[in-house]
Amino acid sequence: MQHADGRVALEQGRVDAWSGLDPLMAGSEVQAGSRLLYRNVAFNTYGFLNTTERFATQHPDYVQRVIAAYEKARQWILANPDDTARLVAEEAKLPLEVARLQLSRNDFSTPVPGAQHVEALKAAAPILVEEDLVRKGTDVAAVIDALVEPAHASVVVK
């Protein structure tokens, strides 16, 4: 079931529980009184900025410039939580309470990819294999180790 369909099914009483993602879960809690039963932040697989090795090697200044912009935004978010919630609500067309709840679940404290990110990705890797989302025989753990590269962010993030 797609996440939006899961929310509707929960709110209509067609299912007793639903595993949802924000902002849908936050919206269901705020707008329909749904109750969060379980949350494990260790299951978070995070979001990453991606580039090819070739581009990063040929244009490290561009890579650092993009990361610096994200870091500036992260610092602003940390310093301005109320303004952040208002901005997210406006841009995502969400009620302010939903944006606040969603943002309260985000951790902006570890911006440089590292061991905790690798661990979370490796924990999710078996699902990729089970669902045939990676080529048979792929050493997913080795691929994750090769792809998660903190060097570019470490230069910019202080």
Side-chain angles (χ1 to χ4, degrees):
M1 192 178 284
Q2 294 296 318
H3 293 287
D5 297 334
R7 175 184 176 175
V8 171
L10 179 72
E11 292 175 2
Q12 291 177 346
R14 293 186 284 128
V15 296
D16 294 324
W18 156 62
S19 177
L21 298 174
D22 279 333
L24 295 170
M25 186 62 216
S28 188
E29 288 175 77
V30 169
Q31 297 167 320
S34 299
R35 188 169 53 105
L36 180 62
L37 298 175
Y38 178 77
R39 178 164 163 43
N40 186 338
V41 295
F43 292 161
N44 188 342
T45 54
Y46 306 97
F48 295 93
L49 298 175
N50 302 288
T51 187
T52 63
E53 287 184 44
R54 180 177 176 202
F55 184 87
T57 300
Q58 292 177 349
H59 305 286
D61 51 330
Y62 292 158
V63 172
Q64 289 178 2
R65 191 180 312 171
V66 169
I67 294 171
Y70 271 79
E71 176 59 9
K72 182 177 179 182
R74 186 183 76 86
Q75 292 294 334
W76 187 86
I77 288 167
L78 292 170
N80 301 282
D82 291 335
D83 289 335
T84 300
R86 281 191 287 278
L87 182 63
V88 168
E90 181 180 319
E91 293 300 320
K93 298 184 179 20
L94 296 170
L96 182 57
E97 304 81 36
V98 172
R100 279 194 179 114
L101 180 55
Q102 175 182 345
L103 286 166
S104 75
R105 296 178 180 158
N106 289 296
D107 179 4
F108 297 100
S109 67
T110 313
V112 178
Q116 77 183 64
H117 304 102
V118 169
E119 183 180 321
L121 291 169
K122 285 182 178 179
I127 296 168
L128 299 175
V129 174
E130 285 175 28
E131 297 293 324
D132 292 322
L133 297 172
V134 295
R135 193 175 303 129
K136 294 255 188 260
T138 300
D139 184 346
V140 180
V143 170
I144 292 168
D145 287 335
L147 290 176
V148 177
E149 173 56 63
H152 297 289
S154 295
V155 171
V156 176
V157 178
K158 305 298 178 205

